[in-house]
Amino acid sequence: MSCASVWTPRYALGRSSSSPGPGGRRRSSVRASAAAADESGDGPPPPRMVLHDSLDAAGVATAHARAARAGFAAQVGRLTSVAAASSIAVGRGPDLARAALCVAAEDDSLVSHSSVPLPVDAFVARLDGLSTGFCSGGNFPPAGAPPEVFFDHLDRYLYGYKVLTCRSGSALVLSLIYSEILKTVRIYGLLDFDAEIFFPHDLNSLPRGYDKHKSKLGDEAHIITSKSLLVESKQSSSLFLNAVAANHYGPGTAGYQARSHGNVSAIEMAAAKAAQHRLMRGVWTNVRFGDMRRALAACERLILLDHDPHELRDYAALLYHCGYYEDCLDYLTAYQTAKAGKFTSNSLEILEDEAVNTLRARVSLILAEDGWSGRRPATSYWTKNSEPW
């Protein structure tokens, strides 16, 4: 359920269907509420989110994508500060399963062009069936069984009989399914102890439940919260610097991502160049080298989560890549405003800040050209890289 991209921002994860605003432009409910906040003096509205409107302008249907985004935004709206910091085992706040499925539904709509949306409600019903199946049919442990026996039964049911039929899976998604089962057991009044989920940070372990009262020193680092589930990612280098380096090869192309801290391998360079060639011929490529639609969607959902101001900067880099310079400058400005007064001695962050200043100067020069506003590239990127197949 994560959102892969040309350059994949942190996790991924808004605009909803709405009537056109002034001048015929759609105005999302998210931006409308932000504008209302501005009028009440709570702060300026965020810059516009580009993806759905730009696809509409290019003649790509976005009704299903907008509906899925609206579903995601509705769940994010329930993510209070308390719920965001609570373990997913508690089940407080938003419906995380529905939120994750809305992410999958939007991504599916963006790349499949199917006339039928991903059946989110049907998948939620399947999750409910999986949870109730544990509570019946001889899968549930005997009454009064200690927590260790309870989790032995749950692990056997989930990993032996149901989910891991292929003996592989995403630890993040498995943790979500695990939490959904615990939520159902708790609703039925069959859980008489505080359950917690141990989230593994290696590639070979599975999420496991345990009695929170018997937790050990160091277990806290393996507790995944509602918000961290929605933004979970792993990265060993600055993807933002890679994206800025790619922009040196020209906006609106799939230029390969030169590493800011070393050389690109010959295999990576060849693969990226081949991907660029396919994109320019209108042939969609794999998700590692060219999935700009889902990259933008992931950034927009992360911005909705209000998790980290770096998401504003990352989104700006993608907008520059697509040729949306005015929007790029708006987001760079928003990022620098959010970071104002914060200083760092971290060498990587210093390099990133320098790259932000360089990118902003480059965008400002482009926008200073005479007549630029009269020839905005509203559809140029999507008409050159039109179809995901």
Coordinates of all heavy atoms in Angstrom, one line a residue, residues 79-170:
L79 N -7.4 12.2 12.8 CA -6.1 11.9 13.4 C -5.7 13.0 14.4 O -4.9 13.9 14.1 CB -5.0 11.7 12.4 CG -3.7 11.1 12.8 CD1 -3.9 9.6 13.2 CD2 -2.6 11.2 11.7
T80 N -6.2 12.9 15.6 CA -5.9 13.9 16.6 C -4.4 13.7 17.1 O -3.8 12.7 16.8 CB -6.8 13.8 17.8 OG1 -6.6 12.6 18.4 CG2 -8.2 14.0 17.4
S81 N -3.9 14.6 17.8 CA -2.5 14.5 18.3 C -2.4 13.3 19.2 O -1.4 12.6 19.2 CB -2.1 15.7 19.1 OG -2.9 16.0 20.2
V82 N -3.4 13.0 20.0 CA -3.4 11.8 20.9 C -3.5 10.5 20.1 O -2.7 9.6 20.3 CB -4.6 11.8 21.9 CG1 -4.7 10.5 22.7 CG2 -4.5 13.0 22.8
A83 N -4.4 10.5 19.1 CA -4.5 9.3 18.2 C -3.2 9.1 17.4 O -2.8 7.9 17.2 CB -5.7 9.4 17.3
A84 N -2.6 10.2 16.9 CA -1.4 10.0 16.1 C -0.3 9.4 16.9 O 0.5 8.6 16.3 CB -1.0 11.4 15.6
A85 N -0.2 9.6 18.2 CA 0.9 9.1 19.0 C 0.6 7.8 19.7 O 1.4 7.2 20.4 CB 1.3 10.1 20.1
S86 N -0.6 7.3 19.4 CA -1.1 6.0 20.1 C -0.7 4.8 19.2 O -0.6 4.9 18.0 CB -2.6 6.0 20.2 OG -3.0 7.1 21.1
S87 N -0.4 3.7 19.9 CA 0.0 2.5 19.1 C -1.2 2.1 18.3 O -2.4 2.2 18.7 CB 0.3 1.4 20.1 OG 0.4 0.2 19.5
I88 N -0.9 1.4 17.1 CA -2.0 0.9 16.3 C -2.7 -0.2 17.0 O -3.9 -0.5 16.6 CB -1.4 0.4 15.0 CG1 -0.4 -0.7 15.1 CG2 -0.8 1.6 14.2 CD1 0.0 -1.3 13.8
A89 N -2.1 -0.8 18.0 CA -2.8 -1.9 18.8 C -4.0 -1.3 19.6 O -4.9 -2.0 20.0 CB -1.8 -2.6 19.7
V90 N -3.9 0.0 19.9 CA -5.0 0.6 20.7 C -6.3 0.8 19.8 O -7.4 0.7 20.3 CB -4.5 2.0 21.3 CG1 -5.6 2.7 22.0 CG2 -3.3 1.7 22.2
G91 N -6.1 1.1 18.5 CA -7.2 1.3 17.6 C -8.0 2.6 17.9 O -9.2 2.6 17.7
R92 N -7.3 3.6 18.2 CA -7.9 4.9 18.6 C -7.8 5.8 17.4 O -6.8 5.9 16.7 CB -7.2 5.5 19.8 CG -7.7 6.9 20.2 CD -7.0 7.4 21.4 NE -7.2 6.6 22.5 CZ -6.3 6.5 23.6 NH1 -5.2 7.2 23.6 NH2 -6.6 5.8 24.6
G93 N -8.9 6.6 17.1 CA -8.8 7.6 16.0 C -9.3 7.1 14.7 O -10.4 6.5 14.6
P94 N -8.5 7.3 13.6 CA -8.9 7.0 12.3 C -9.0 5.5 12.0 O -8.4 4.7 12.7 CB -7.9 7.7 11.4 CG -6.6 7.7 12.2 CD -7.1 7.9 13.6
D95 N -9.7 5.1 11.0 CA -9.8 3.8 10.5 C -8.6 3.6 9.6 O -8.6 3.9 8.5 CB -11.1 3.5 9.8 CG -11.3 2.1 9.3 OD1 -10.3 1.4 9.2 OD2 -12.4 1.6 9.1
L96 N -7.5 3.0 10.2 CA -6.2 2.9 9.4 C -6.4 2.0 8.2 O -5.7 2.2 7.2 CB -5.1 2.4 10.4 CG -4.8 3.4 11.5 CD1 -3.8 2.7 12.4 CD2 -4.2 4.7 11.0
A97 N -7.1 0.9 8.4 CA -7.3 0.0 7.3 C -8.0 0.7 6.1 O -7.6 0.6 4.9 CB -8.1 -1.2 7.7
R98 N -9.0 1.5 6.4 CA -9.7 2.2 5.3 C -8.8 3.3 4.7 O -8.8 3.5 3.5 CB -11.0 2.8 5.8 CG -11.8 3.6 4.8 CD -13.2 4.0 5.3 NE -14.0 2.9 5.6 CZ -14.8 2.3 4.6 NH1 -14.7 2.7 3.4 NH2 -15.5 1.2 5.0
A99 N -8.0 3.9 5.5 CA -7.1 5.0 5.0 C -6.1 4.3 4.1 O -5.8 4.8 3.0 CB -6.4 5.6 6.2
A100 N -5.5 3.2 4.5 CA -4.5 2.5 3.6 C -5.2 2.0 2.3 O -4.5 2.1 1.3 CB -3.9 1.3 4.4
L101 N -6.4 1.5 2.4 CA -7.1 1.1 1.2 C -7.4 2.3 0.3 O -7.4 2.1 -1.0 CB -8.3 0.3 1.6 CG -8.1 -1.1 2.1 CD1 -9.3 -1.7 2.8 CD2 -7.6 -2.0 1.0
C102 N -7.7 3.4 0.8 CA -7.9 4.6 0.0 C -6.6 5.0 -0.7 O -6.7 5.5 -1.9 CB -8.4 5.8 0.9 SG -10.2 5.6 1.4
V103 N -5.5 4.8 -0.1 CA -4.2 5.1 -0.8 C -4.1 4.1 -2.0 O -3.8 4.5 -3.1 CB -3.0 4.8 0.2 CG1 -1.7 4.9 -0.6 CG2 -3.0 5.9 1.3
A104 N -4.4 2.8 -1.7 CA -4.3 1.9 -2.8 C -5.3 2.2 -3.9 O -5.0 2.0 -5.1 CB -4.5 0.5 -2.2
A105 N -6.5 2.6 -3.5 CA -7.5 2.9 -4.5 C -7.1 4.1 -5.4 O -7.3 4.1 -6.6 CB -8.8 3.2 -3.8
E106 N -6.5 5.1 -4.8 CA -6.1 6.3 -5.6 C -5.0 5.9 -6.5 O -5.0 6.2 -7.7 CB -5.6 7.4 -4.7 CG -5.2 8.6 -5.5 CD -4.7 9.8 -4.7 OE1 -4.6 9.7 -3.5 OE2 -4.5 10.9 -5.3
D107 N -4.0 5.1 -6.0 CA -2.9 4.7 -6.9 C -3.4 3.8 -8.0 O -2.9 4.0 -9.2 CB -1.9 3.9 -6.1 CG -1.0 4.9 -5.2 OD1 -1.2 6.1 -5.3 OD2 -0.2 4.3 -4.4
D108 N -4.3 2.9 -7.7 CA -4.9 2.1 -8.8 C -5.6 2.9 -9.8 O -5.4 2.7 -11.0 CB -5.8 1.1 -8.2 CG -6.5 0.2 -9.2 OD1 -5.8 -0.7 -9.7 OD2 -7.7 0.4 -9.5
S109 N -6.3 3.9 -9.4 CA -7.0 4.8 -10.4 C -6.1 5.6 -11.2 O -6.3 5.7 -12.4 CB -8.0 5.7 -9.6 OG -8.6 6.6 -10.5
L110 N -5.0 6.0 -10.6 CA -4.0 6.8 -11.4 C -3.3 6.1 -12.5 O -2.9 6.7 -13.5 CB -3.0 7.4 -10.4 CG -3.5 8.5 -9.5 CD1 -2.4 8.9 -8.5 CD2 -4.0 9.8 -10.2
V111 N -3.1 4.8 -12.3 CA -2.3 4.1 -13.3 C -3.1 3.1 -14.1 O -2.6 2.6 -15.1 CB -1.1 3.3 -12.6 CG1 -0.2 4.3 -11.9 CG2 -1.6 2.3 -11.6
S112 N -4.3 2.7 -13.7 CA -5.1 1.7 -14.4 C -6.1 2.3 -15.4 O -6.5 1.7 -16.3 CB -5.8 0.8 -13.4 OG -6.9 1.5 -12.8
H113 N -6.6 3.5 -15.1 CA -7.7 4.1 -15.9 C -8.9 3.2 -15.9 O -9.7 3.3 -16.8 CB -7.2 4.4 -17.3 CG -6.3 5.6 -17.4 ND1 -6.5 6.6 -18.2 CD2 -5.1 5.8 -16.8 CE1 -5.5 7.5 -18.1 NE2 -4.6 7.0 -17.3
S114 N -9.1 2.4 -14.9 CA -10.2 1.5 -14.9 C -11.5 2.3 -14.7 O -11.5 3.3 -14.0 CB -10.1 0.5 -13.7 OG -11.3 -0.3 -13.6
S115 N -12.6 1.9 -15.3 CA -13.9 2.5 -15.1 C -14.5 2.1 -13.8 O -15.6 2.7 -13.4 CB -14.8 2.2 -16.3 OG -15.0 0.8 -16.4
V116 N -13.9 1.1 -13.1 CA -14.4 0.7 -11.9 C -13.4 0.9 -10.8 O -12.3 0.6 -10.9 CB -14.7 -0.9 -11.9 CG1 -15.2 -1.4 -10.6 CG2 -15.7 -1.2 -13.0
P117 N -13.8 1.6 -9.7 CA -12.8 1.9 -8.7 C -12.5 0.7 -7.9 O -13.2 -0.3 -7.8 CB -13.6 3.0 -7.8 CG -15.0 2.6 -8.0 CD -15.2 2.2 -9.4
L118 N -11.3 0.7 -7.2 CA -10.9 -0.3 -6.3 C -12.0 -0.5 -5.2 O -12.4 0.5 -4.6 CB -9.6 0.0 -5.7 CG -8.9 -1.2 -4.9 CD1 -8.3 -2.2 -5.9 CD2 -7.8 -0.7 -4.0
P119 N -12.5 -1.7 -5.0 CA -13.7 -1.8 -4.0 C -13.2 -1.7 -2.6 O -13.0 -2.8 -1.9 CB -14.2 -3.2 -4.4 CG -13.0 -3.9 -4.9 CD -12.2 -2.9 -5.6
V120 N -13.0 -0.5 -2.1 CA -12.5 -0.3 -0.7 C -13.4 -1.0 0.3 O -13.0 -1.7 1.2 CB -12.4 1.2 -0.4 CG1 -12.1 1.4 1.1 CG2 -11.3 1.8 -1.2
D121 N -14.8 -0.8 0.2 CA -15.7 -1.4 1.1 C -15.6 -2.9 1.1 O -15.7 -3.6 2.2 CB -17.1 -0.9 0.8 CG -17.3 0.5 1.1 OD1 -16.6 1.1 2.0 OD2 -18.3 1.1 0.6
A122 N -15.4 -3.5 0.0 CA -15.3 -5.0 -0.1 C -14.1 -5.5 0.6 O -14.1 -6.5 1.3 CB -15.3 -5.4 -1.6
F123 N -13.0 -4.8 0.5 CA -11.8 -5.2 1.1 C -11.9 -5.0 2.7 O -11.3 -5.8 3.4 CB -10.6 -4.4 0.6 CG -10.0 -5.0 -0.7 CD1 -10.2 -4.3 -1.9 CD2 -9.4 -6.3 -0.7 CE1 -9.7 -4.8 -3.1 CE2 -9.0 -6.8 -1.9 CZ -9.1 -6.1 -3.1
V124 N -12.5 -3.9 3.1 CA -12.8 -3.7 4.5 C -13.6 -4.9 5.0 O -13.4 -5.4 6.1 CB -13.5 -2.4 4.8 CG1 -14.0 -2.3 6.2 CG2 -12.5 -1.2 4.4
A125 N -14.6 -5.3 4.3 CA -15.5 -6.4 4.7 C -14.6 -7.7 4.8 O -14.9 -8.5 5.7 CB -16.6 -6.6 3.7
R126 N -13.7 -7.9 3.9 CA -12.8 -9.1 4.0 C -12.0 -9.0 5.2 O -11.7 -10.1 5.9 CB -11.9 -9.2 2.7 CG -12.7 -9.5 1.4 CD -11.8 -9.7 0.3 NE -10.8 -10.8 0.5 CZ -9.9 -11.2 -0.4 NH1 -9.8 -10.5 -1.5 NH2 -9.1 -12.2 -0.2
L127 N -11.5 -7.9 5.6 CA -10.7 -7.7 6.8 C -11.6 -8.0 8.0 O -11.1 -8.7 9.0 CB -10.1 -6.3 6.9 CG -8.8 -6.0 6.3 CD1 -8.5 -4.5 6.4 CD2 -7.7 -6.9 6.9
D128 N -12.8 -7.6 8.0 CA -13.7 -7.9 9.1 C -14.0 -9.4 9.2 O -14.0 -10.0 10.3 CB -15.1 -7.2 8.9 CG -14.9 -5.6 9.1 OD1 -13.9 -5.2 9.7 OD2 -15.8 -4.9 8.6
G129 N -14.1 -10.0 8.0 CA -14.3 -11.5 8.0 C -13.1 -12.2 8.5 O -13.2 -13.2 9.2
L130 N -11.9 -11.7 8.2 CA -10.7 -12.3 8.7 C -10.6 -12.2 10.2 O -10.3 -13.2 10.9 CB -9.5 -11.6 8.1 CG -8.1 -12.2 8.5 CD1 -7.9 -13.6 7.8 CD2 -7.0 -11.2 8.0
S131 N -11.1 -11.1 10.7 CA -11.0 -10.8 12.2 C -12.1 -11.7 12.9 O -11.8 -12.3 13.9 CB -11.3 -9.4 12.5 OG -10.3 -8.5 11.9
T132 N -13.3 -11.8 12.4 CA -14.3 -12.6 13.0 C -14.0 -14.0 12.9 O -14.4 -14.8 13.8 CB -15.7 -12.2 12.4 OG1 -15.7 -12.4 11.0 CG2 -16.1 -10.8 12.7
G133 N -13.3 -14.4 11.8 CA -13.0 -15.8 11.7 C -12.0 -16.3 12.8 O -12.1 -17.5 13.2
F134 N -11.2 -15.4 13.3 CA -10.3 -15.8 14.4 C -11.2 -16.0 15.7 O -10.8 -16.9 16.5 CB -9.3 -14.7 14.7 CG -8.5 -14.9 15.9 CD1 -7.6 -16.0 16.0 CD2 -8.5 -14.0 17.0 CE1 -6.8 -16.3 17.1 CE2 -7.7 -14.2 18.1 CZ -6.9 -15.3 18.2
C135 N -12.2 -15.3 15.8 CA -13.1 -15.4 17.0 C -14.0 -16.6 17.0 O -14.8 -16.8 17.9 CB -13.9 -14.1 17.3 SG -12.8 -12.7 17.5
S136 N -14.0 -17.4 15.9 CA -14.9 -18.5 15.8 C -14.2 -19.7 15.1 O -13.1 -19.6 14.7 CB -16.2 -18.1 15.0 OG -15.8 -17.7 13.7
G137 N -14.9 -20.7 15.0 CA -14.4 -21.9 14.2 C -13.3 -22.6 14.9 O -12.4 -23.2 14.2
G138 N -13.1 -22.5 16.2 CA -12.1 -23.2 16.9 C -10.7 -22.6 16.8 O -9.7 -23.2 17.2
N139 N -10.6 -21.4 16.3 CA -9.3 -20.7 16.2 C -9.0 -19.9 17.4 O -7.8 -19.7 17.7 CB -9.3 -19.7 15.0 CG -9.6 -20.4 13.6 OD1 -8.8 -21.3 13.3 ND2 -10.6 -20.0 12.9
F140 N -10.0 -19.6 18.2 CA -9.8 -18.8 19.4 C -9.3 -19.6 20.5 O -9.7 -20.8 20.7 CB -11.1 -18.0 19.8 CG -10.8 -16.8 20.6 CD1 -10.4 -15.6 20.0 CD2 -11.0 -16.8 22.0 CE1 -10.3 -14.5 20.7 CE2 -10.8 -15.7 22.7 CZ -10.4 -14.5 22.1
P141 N -8.4 -19.1 21.4 CA -7.9 -19.9 22.5 C -8.9 -20.1 23.5 O -10.0 -19.4 23.6 CB -6.7 -19.0 23.0 CG -7.1 -17.6 22.6 CD -7.7 -17.8 21.3
P142 N -8.7 -21.1 24.4 CA -9.7 -21.4 25.5 C -9.9 -20.2 26.4 O -9.0 -19.4 26.6 CB -9.1 -22.6 26.2 CG -8.1 -23.2 25.3 CD -7.6 -22.0 24.4
A143 N -11.1 -20.1 27.0 CA -11.3 -19.0 27.9 C -10.3 -19.0 29.1 O -10.0 -20.1 29.6 CB -12.8 -19.1 28.5
G144 N -9.9 -17.8 29.4 CA -8.9 -17.7 30.6 C -7.5 -18.1 30.2 O -6.6 -18.1 31.1
A145 N -7.2 -18.3 28.9 CA -5.8 -18.6 28.5 C -4.9 -17.4 28.7 O -5.4 -16.3 28.5 CB -5.8 -19.0 27.0
P146 N -3.7 -17.6 29.1 CA -2.8 -16.5 29.3 C -2.4 -15.8 28.0 O -2.6 -16.4 26.9 CB -1.5 -17.2 29.9 CG -1.6 -18.6 29.5 CD -3.1 -18.9 29.4
P147 N -1.9 -14.6 28.0 CA -1.6 -13.9 26.8 C -0.7 -14.6 25.9 O -0.9 -14.5 24.6 CB -0.9 -12.6 27.3 CG -1.5 -12.4 28.7 CD -1.7 -13.8 29.2
E148 N 0.3 -15.4 26.4 CA 1.2 -16.1 25.5 C 0.4 -17.1 24.6 O 0.7 -17.3 23.4 CB 2.3 -16.8 26.3 CG 3.2 -15.9 27.0 CD 2.6 -15.3 28.3 OE1 1.5 -15.8 28.7 OE2 3.3 -14.4 28.9
V149 N -0.6 -17.8 25.2 CA -1.3 -18.8 24.5 C -2.2 -18.1 23.5 O -2.4 -18.5 22.3 CB -2.2 -19.6 25.5 CG1 -3.1 -20.6 24.7 CG2 -1.3 -20.4 26.4
F150 N -2.8 -16.9 23.9 CA -3.7 -16.1 23.0 C -2.9 -15.8 21.7 O -3.3 -16.0 20.6 CB -4.1 -14.9 23.7 CG -4.9 -13.9 22.8 CD1 -6.2 -14.0 22.5 CD2 -4.2 -12.8 22.2 CE1 -6.9 -13.1 21.7 CE2 -4.8 -12.0 21.4 CZ -6.1 -12.1 21.1
F151 N -1.7 -15.3 21.9 CA -0.9 -14.8 20.7 C -0.4 -16.0 19.9 O -0.2 -15.9 18.7 CB 0.3 -13.9 21.2 CG -0.2 -12.5 21.6 CD1 0.0 -12.1 22.9 CD2 -0.9 -11.7 20.7 CE1 -0.4 -10.8 23.3 CE2 -1.3 -10.4 21.1 CZ -1.1 -10.0 22.4
D152 N -0.1 -17.1 20.6 CA 0.3 -18.3 19.8 C -0.9 -18.7 18.8 O -0.6 -19.0 17.7 CB 0.6 -19.5 20.8 CG 1.9 -19.4 21.4 OD1 2.7 -18.6 20.9 OD2 2.2 -20.1 22.4
H153 N -2.1 -18.7 19.3 CA -3.3 -19.0 18.5 C -3.4 -18.0 17.4 O -3.7 -18.3 16.2 CB -4.5 -19.1 19.3 CG -4.7 -20.3 20.1 ND1 -4.0 -20.7 21.1 CD2 -5.7 -21.3 19.9 CE1 -4.4 -21.9 21.6 NE2 -5.4 -22.3 20.8
L154 N -3.2 -16.7 17.7 CA -3.4 -15.6 16.7 C -2.3 -15.7 15.6 O -2.6 -15.6 14.4 CB -3.4 -14.3 17.4 CG -3.4 -13.0 16.5 CD1 -4.6 -13.1 15.5 CD2 -3.5 -11.7 17.3
D155 N -1.1 -16.0 16.0 CA 0.0 -16.1 15.1 C -0.2 -17.3 14.1 O 0.0 -17.2 12.9 CB 1.4 -16.2 15.8 CG 1.7 -14.9 16.5 OD1 1.1 -13.9 16.2 OD2 2.7 -14.9 17.3
R156 N -0.7 -18.4 14.7 CA -0.9 -19.6 13.9 C -2.0 -19.3 12.9 O -1.9 -19.7 11.8 CB -1.2 -20.8 14.8 CG -1.3 -22.1 14.1 CD -1.6 -23.3 15.1 NE -0.8 -23.2 16.3 CZ -1.3 -23.0 17.5 NH1 -2.6 -22.8 17.6 NH2 -0.5 -23.0 18.5
Y157 N -3.1 -18.7 13.4 CA -4.2 -18.4 12.5 C -3.8 -17.4 11.4 O -4.1 -17.7 10.2 CB -5.3 -17.8 13.3 CG -6.5 -17.2 12.5 CD1 -7.4 -18.0 12.0 CD2 -6.6 -15.8 12.3 CE1 -8.5 -17.5 11.2 CE2 -7.7 -15.3 11.6 CZ -8.6 -16.2 11.0 OH -9.7 -15.7 10.3
L158 N -3.1 -16.4 11.7 CA -2.8 -15.3 10.8 C -1.7 -15.7 9.8 O -1.8 -15.6 8.6 CB -2.3 -14.0 11.5 CG -2.1 -12.8 10.7 CD1 -3.3 -12.4 9.9 CD2 -1.7 -11.6 11.5
Y159 N -0.6 -16.3 10.3 CA 0.6 -16.6 9.5 C 0.6 -18.0 9.0 O 1.2 -18.3 8.0 CB 1.9 -16.3 10.3 CG 2.0 -14.9 10.7 CD1 2.4 -14.6 12.0 CD2 1.7 -13.8 9.9 CE1 2.6 -13.3 12.5 CE2 1.8 -12.5 10.3 CZ 2.3 -12.2 11.6 OH 2.4 -10.9 12.0
G160 N -0.1 -18.9 9.6 CA -0.1 -20.3 9.2 C -1.3 -20.6 8.3 O -1.1 -21.4 7.3
Y161 N -2.5 -20.1 8.6 CA -3.7 -20.5 7.9 C -4.1 -19.4 6.8 O -4.8 -19.8 5.9 CB -4.8 -20.7 8.8 CG -4.5 -21.8 9.9 CD1 -5.1 -21.8 11.1 CD2 -3.7 -22.9 9.6 CE1 -4.8 -22.7 12.1 CE2 -3.4 -23.9 10.5 CZ -4.0 -23.8 11.8 OH -3.7 -24.8 12.7
K162 N -3.9 -18.2 7.1 CA -4.6 -17.1 6.3 C -3.6 -16.3 5.4 O -3.6 -16.4 4.2 CB -5.3 -16.2 7.2 CG -6.5 -16.9 7.9 CD -7.6 -17.3 6.9 CE -8.8 -17.9 7.6 NZ -9.8 -18.3 6.7
V163 N -2.9 -15.4 6.0 CA -2.2 -14.3 5.2 C -1.0 -14.8 4.5 O -0.9 -14.5 3.3 CB -1.9 -13.1 6.2 CG1 -1.1 -12.1 5.4 CG2 -3.1 -12.6 6.8
L164 N -0.1 -15.4 5.2 CA 1.2 -15.7 4.5 C 1.2 -17.0 3.8 O 2.0 -17.9 4.0 CB 2.3 -15.7 5.6 CG 2.7 -14.3 6.1 CD1 3.9 -14.4 7.1 CD2 3.1 -13.4 5.0
T165 N 0.3 -17.2 2.8 CA 0.2 -18.4 2.0 C 1.5 -18.5 1.1 O 1.8 -19.7 0.8 CB -1.0 -18.4 1.2 OG1 -1.1 -17.3 0.4 CG2 -2.3 -18.5 2.1
C166 N 2.1 -17.4 0.8 CA 3.3 -17.4 -0.1 C 4.5 -17.2 0.8 O 5.6 -17.1 0.2 CB 3.2 -16.4 -1.1 SG 1.8 -16.6 -2.3
R167 N 4.4 -17.2 2.1 CA 5.5 -17.1 3.0 C 6.3 -15.8 2.8 O 7.5 -15.8 3.0 CB 6.5 -18.3 2.9 CG 5.8 -19.6 3.4 CD 5.6 -19.5 4.9 NE 4.9 -20.7 5.4 CZ 3.6 -20.8 5.6 NH1 2.8 -19.8 5.3 NH2 3.0 -21.9 6.1
S168 N 5.6 -14.7 2.4 CA 6.3 -13.4 2.3 C 5.2 -12.4 2.4 O 4.0 -12.6 2.2 CB 7.0 -13.3 1.0 OG 6.1 -13.3 -0.1
G169 N 5.6 -11.2 2.8 CA 4.7 -10.1 3.0 C 5.3 -8.9 3.6 O 6.5 -8.9 4.0
S170 N 4.6 -7.7 3.5 CA 5.1 -6.5 4.1 C 4.8 -6.4 5.6 O 3.7 -6.6 6.0 CB 4.3 -5.3 3.4 OG 4.4 -4.1 4.2

